[in-house]
Amino acid sequence: MIAEPNAASTLPSQKENAVHDETVPESPTQNGTCVRNGNLKTPREKRKVREQCENIRRNSPASRRVSQLQNGEVVEAVTLFEVVSMGKQAMQSVVVDWVEAYKQDRNVALLDLINFFIQCSGCQGMVTAEMFQSLYKKDVMQKMTETFDKETGLQYKKFMAYPWILTVTWPMDMDNEDYPLIRTGPYWKKFKANFCEFIAVLVQQCQCSILYDNYLMDTIISLLTGLADSMVRAFRHTSTLAAMKLLTAVVSVHLNLDVNKHNAQRLYEVEKKRLSGKRTSYRLDQLERKRKEYEHKLLEIQNMMNAIFKGTFLTRYRDVIPEIRATCMEEIGNWIKTCPDAFLNDSYLKYVGWMLYDKQAEVRLKCLLGLQGIYSRKELVSRMDLFTNRFKDRIVSMPLDKDHEVAVQAMKLLMLMSQLLSHGGDKVQPKGGKFGASTDQLKRLIHFFLESELHKHVTYLVDSLWDWAGKFLKDWECMTTLLLKNAEEAGEALSDAQESALIEIILATVREAAEGHPPVGRGAAKKILSVKEKKIQLEDCTKITEHFIMVLPQLLAKYSTDAQKVANLLQIPQYYDLDVYSTGHLEKHLDALLREIKDIVAKHSDMSVLEASSRTYYILCREEIAIYSQVDCARTQMIDELMKQLNQLLDCFWQKEGGFCMDAGEISRMHSTLRRVAAFHNAHDLTKWNLYDKTLRFLVFETEHGSLPVLIILPALQCTYFSLLWQLAAVSENSPKETLFPLRRQLRHFSQICTCFLHHKEKDVREKAFMILCDWLLILSHLDSNNNEDAVGLLGYLPNTELQEKLFSFIQEHVFMDGEEEKKDLAEEEKDEACKLDDLHKKRSLLAAYCKLIVYNVVEMTAAAEIYKYYVKTYSDFGDIIKETLSKTRYNDKIQSAKTLILCLQQLFQTHAESQDSSNGVDFSSPSFANIKELARRFSLTFGWDQVKSRESIAMIHKEGIEFAFQGATGGDGKCLPPNLSFLLIISEFSNKLLKPDKRLVITSLVSAVQFGSGSLHFRDTSRYSYLQRYITEPLACRGDKWQPLVWYRNSLLSNEDEQSSVLGSLGEWPPVGSSKTSSFKRKLSNGSVPETSQTEAGSKAPEQQCVSQLSSAAGKSRKRLKSQEMHLQEHLPFLCPGGMRRRYCKDEVKTEDVSEEGPEDTVEDVDVIGTDQDS
């Protein structure tokens, strides 16, 4: 709030000789008083001052004028801050009315504006102002201070806002991290835009009148400069943003004045050149006065610009807050681009160059964006030579920046700079005819891709250049012409590596143009295309189709023997607009394409080529398009030939019963044919060719005899799998039950074969069988046969316990154990790096397939406990997969997931305990125990920072952990050590994830002697509570080191003495009233110190009473009965909060003495600490 300037408004810090009490004339509605902030001691008084100052301001003439804005109707008066918060609609009219108010009473209006800036900073204090008339007092600026008054708890900032000295007063607890500019949410984001818009509108409305009165701008600039020098972040950030936007608005005024000045000068010159008889001296004088007026205004504007730049920018562009630095860099980029005559020189550019080295990515990004705006204007580049030479190396290094967005914008800036520099010289017409220039650029791009050796993913190279060289990258005619050139042409043909790279570039550009989305890893999500972008995308698809329909068959014919090139080229038809074939009468080109694909299938057995060919047939053979019959006929013809070839090979292969042909050539041909059939069976239904019986024979023979070559087993296994999948897909709602029994037998038989192959002697067969079996179980367990319940009941299948054990044994043996053996094998170091990566990829695929079974509840979730054991040990190879599994299972069932985690830790602990000497107990310093604790810590980190979200899971972990820790405890005298007590050290890693009320309940559960009801933390043997209760209250010296885990676990739950005292208080362990004087203590309101006792008293106390007496004062502070909190815990944590818990009251009285020690002792009521808020 802001108070009108008054002679009475003198704070203690204002009683200096340099400050005069000459005031602005008071408003008629003012009461003639101003409250001294030094007397504000209570919140009620502060609120009264704010209301009083608000009434004074609202009763001012300016406020009354604002209240009559709409058609003369009186509406509720609002402040400028509220207007800006409401939005841009009312802003223009309010600014106009403020200008009118300023013209009538500039002091009152300016105070209103000053209050606006203070409120925008989030300050809820008040501002007092007094006039400063003496300009010659040397010690005035020395008295401009920012201090803290310890008596009132208020912060004062006193600074000059000529012609006033302003004193801003606000509470010391003003949150520096919460003010309008940094608050989250759409409302506050809109507020920032409105705040900037208000400043621009204000300058725009004032540029024709009061902007040059030597009063308004001087005051605003002084105010913002003073606030920008504050130690309070809110003031500094808000005033810096306002000053920068103010300078931007003033720059716009400068541009308009400069244009008007030049126009007036031209008119003056034209008028002066007229014949002397026709010209009038009055016209010349008028133009001359106008021109001088513009020059005078320009001079004033330049002074304002210099004042803001030197007063705010130079002190804040190196601010410790990155948001402030980023604001300065963003605005100086706008100034240089908008007004290059004034700002485009090395005196201003150097700041942008220096901040390219800033540690914060946000600041570096603003610098790059500003430079892009400058380098995008060719007329400005010639004046950037010195800057380019000085900071070129830094800009070149920034594409390797650790921040993704900075690296992208740096690359875009370098592209701009390179384009401008390449066009700087004389343009020479390149040789080569129509595609000469594009051909040269293509060759340079291919050379860069091959020679850089940064990576082999051309997709990301194309994506990086797409925004800047999209027209060049869409020149597919040039690319295909370069590929189809003959080698005889002198020096024009590409090498084999260059041709492969160019084909990859063609495929990447086609994909980018057709899909319109960046590749994986570029951008957070799929890009939402605008109407214009969608139109461009459709045009590109049409262009791709029309060109490659004719060219692709030629390219396939030329490279038909090269598997890699053919596999890439065959992916292009999936981006076709297939209707062009029929609308353009291009069926002959379709026949040519189908012929080439058929020849390629006959030549190749590489799976990438065969799968690409199968996918092309699948895309072309859609029933809804006109070319379906033509493509279906060609597909059927090709598959008939494949099946005929397979039947011939089978007749030759099976020579007699129980034997097969061992000829290597026959085996190779059988292998190639089965691979072709498997590739097409994946995407096309080949059921009518009865492929299942033919391929199943191979698998049955292998299970019985075990002598088939691997080259035949693998494709036969795939073909059988695909055959059954197509039969499952064909099950309809009306399928009779009788037809489902044979299919059920086939499904079970195939599952048994895959299970048998898990122990095959060949590694490839084992891995393929495991992958197929995992996918097979996932499909059968989630079967949805077109709402046919009989089919689901008959065909659905879940693995039994034996099969689940076999699956995990396979993972343990071939994923985790193999990895450990390889690390120990010295010969592994000499293994080729590519082979290592390939083996790791296979292992990751196996583990991911098994984890999917856990996530989708095909395998019991408890099986994940065995996987979690390897989380830390194999973190570099499989950590992401295990962590994702943990996340998905937690999303499915939080409680069961928590039980799985604690089960994992329990199993590891038991294994560790069994390996130790039983007489010596568990060794805490052993590496295996440290590994278990580290695993528990990693598990704890997966719960994140949201303790409320993970509350139930963490509570369940502690419940299960406590029960496990006290398993096997016998006897009620407290002398029997539980065998698993050391497990408390492990679950203590989860203590920091518990909420404070839950910590108290866990501790209460540890020490309570009450038998809890069902659904709560229930211990079977209540006798174990006796020694826990006694141990917690007895001195630590009475216990041995073997009981330390209990102490450590308890300490991990007690974050402060208040919580510790609350636990003791809940047990009713306060000492008796008459036993000693320890129950009486002094309580100071000022510092809340702990009471002191004499050494004699301390020495006479029992150890238990000493502990209680030290904590009694802290416990005495908690007096509230928070029954609602207990009810909330019972509602949300039924397994942790005692179901039938009765409120326990401390029976002993705690006496307190007043601070003055004069009043009688107050008897404190019985204190219930369970569930009490210790922070109150």
Side-chain angles (χ1 to χ4, degrees), residues 1040-1096:
D1041 293 339
K1042 294 182 179 180
W1043 290 89
Q1044 286 300 317
L1046 180 60
V1047 183
W1048 290 335
Y1049 179 57
R1050 184 199 63 179
N1051 292 340
S1052 71
L1053 296 171
L1054 299 177
S1055 59
N1056 52 49
E1057 291 184 355
D1058 288 346
E1059 292 183 2
Q1060 187 173 359
S1061 64
S1062 70
V1063 176
L1064 297 176
S1066 67
L1067 295 173
E1069 296 297 332
W1070 308 111
V1073 178
S1075 61
S1076 66
K1077 298 181 180 179
T1078 56
S1079 60
S1080 298
F1081 60 92
K1082 297 180 180 180
R1083 181 174 52 190
K1084 293 185 178 180
L1085 296 177
S1086 59
N1087 54 12
S1089 60
V1090 179
E1092 299 179 357
T1093 57
S1094 64
Q1095 295 181 357
T1096 305

Side-chain angles (χ1 to χ4, degrees), residues 502-776:
L502 181 54
I503 291 175
E504 289 184 29
I505 291 174
I506 291 175
L507 177 59
T509 54
V510 168
R511 183 187 295 114
E512 187 89 12
E515 294 181 348
H517 300 296
V520 177
R522 288 280 176 88
K526 283 192 174 183
K527 181 181 178 182
I528 300 177
L529 302 179
S530 62
V531 177
K532 183 179 179 181
E533 289 173 334
K534 289 181 179 179
K535 181 180 179 182
I536 295 174
Q537 184 182 12
L538 293 175
E539 293 175 352
D540 289 339
C541 286
T542 303
K543 183 180 177 181
I544 290 169
T545 306
E546 293 176 348
H547 176 70
F548 283 98
I549 275 179
M550 295 180 287
V551 175
L552 185 59
Q554 303 176 37
L555 293 173
L556 292 175
K558 181 176 180 179
Y559 300 108
S560 59
T561 57
D562 193 316
Q564 179 184 0
K565 296 173 184 174
V566 168
N568 288 329
L569 289 172
L570 285 174
Q571 296 182 49
I572 295 178
Q574 63 182 301
Y575 304 108
Y576 281 2
D577 179 8
L578 297 177
D579 293 331
V580 175
Y581 273 115
S582 55
T583 58
H585 304 288
L586 301 173
E587 288 82 359
K588 62 177 182 179
H589 296 289
L590 177 61
D591 290 335
L593 176 62
L594 296 175
R595 284 196 305 270
E596 294 299 333
I597 296 177
K598 182 180 178 180
D599 293 340
I600 289 171
V601 172
K603 291 179 182 178
H604 291 274
S605 60
D606 185 86
M607 284 304 297
S608 62
V609 176
L610 296 176
E611 288 175 354
S613 302
S614 176
R615 180 172 178 79
T616 303
Y617 270 108
Y618 175 77
I619 292 169
L620 297 176
C621 199
R622 298 176 185 171
E623 296 183 2
E624 65 272 11
I625 58 178
I627 61 175
Y628 167 74
S629 58
Q630 185 179 355
V631 179
D632 182 57
C633 180
R635 179 185 61 177
T636 304
Q637 182 181 359
M638 185 194 65
I639 294 176
D640 282 337
E641 294 180 2
L642 279 177
M643 298 307 299
K644 181 179 179 181
Q645 183 181 2
L646 177 62
N647 291 330
Q648 294 175 355
L649 290 172
L650 287 174
D651 293 339
C652 297
F653 188 79
W654 301 110
Q655 293 178 339
K656 58 181 179 179
E657 186 176 356
F660 60 91
C661 179
M662 298 295 294
D663 181 65
E666 290 295 327
I667 293 175
S668 177
R669 284 191 289 273
M670 177 66 72
H671 167 70
S672 300
T673 304
L674 285 175
R675 283 170 70 93
R676 295 186 184 103
V677 172
F680 275 86
H681 206 357
N682 187 11
H684 307 274
D685 187 4
L686 308 184
T687 305
K688 64 180 181 180
W689 281 277
N690 194 21
L691 192 61
Y692 174 78
D693 294 333
K694 299 173 183 178
T695 56
L696 183 64
R697 185 178 178 183
F698 288 108
L699 305 182
V700 174
F701 183 87
E702 177 62 20
T703 55
E704 295 176 353
H705 301 88
S707 57
L708 276 180
V710 179
L711 295 177
I712 294 179
I713 298 175
L714 294 178
L717 191 62
Q718 275 192 313
C719 287
T720 309
Y721 173 56
F722 293 145
S723 297
L724 291 175
L725 286 182
W726 281 108
Q727 293 184 51
L728 277 177
V731 175
S732 63
E733 185 177 356
N734 299 322
S735 297
K737 194 173 183 179
E738 292 76 14
T739 61
L740 298 179
F741 285 104
L743 179 58
R744 181 186 181 185
R745 287 194 297 269
Q746 293 175 355
L747 299 179
R748 300 296 186 269
H749 188 198
F750 182 71
S751 299
Q752 294 173 359
I753 291 174
C754 290
T755 305
C756 180
F757 280 172
L758 292 179
H759 304 285
H760 199 274
K761 59 183 179 180
E762 294 292 339
K763 180 180 178 182
D764 293 339
V765 176
R766 294 196 301 265
E767 293 177 351
K768 177 62 72 174
F770 181 84
M771 294 295 294
I772 289 179
L773 184 59
C774 288
D775 292 343
W776 188 241

Side-chain angles (χ1 to χ4, degrees), residues 904-945:
C904 171
L905 297 174
Q906 290 171 359
Q907 292 175 353
L908 289 173
F909 179 82
Q910 288 178 334
T911 303
H912 170 74
E914 292 171 359
S915 64
Q916 301 290 317
D917 187 0
S918 59
S919 61
N920 297 330
V922 178
D923 184 7
F924 303 152
S925 61
S926 63
S928 59
F929 190 83
N931 292 335
I932 300 174
K933 275 186 65 68
E934 175 62 19
L935 181 61
R937 188 185 71 86
R938 295 287 189 95
F939 286 161
S940 175
L941 293 176
T942 61
F943 287 97
W945 296 100

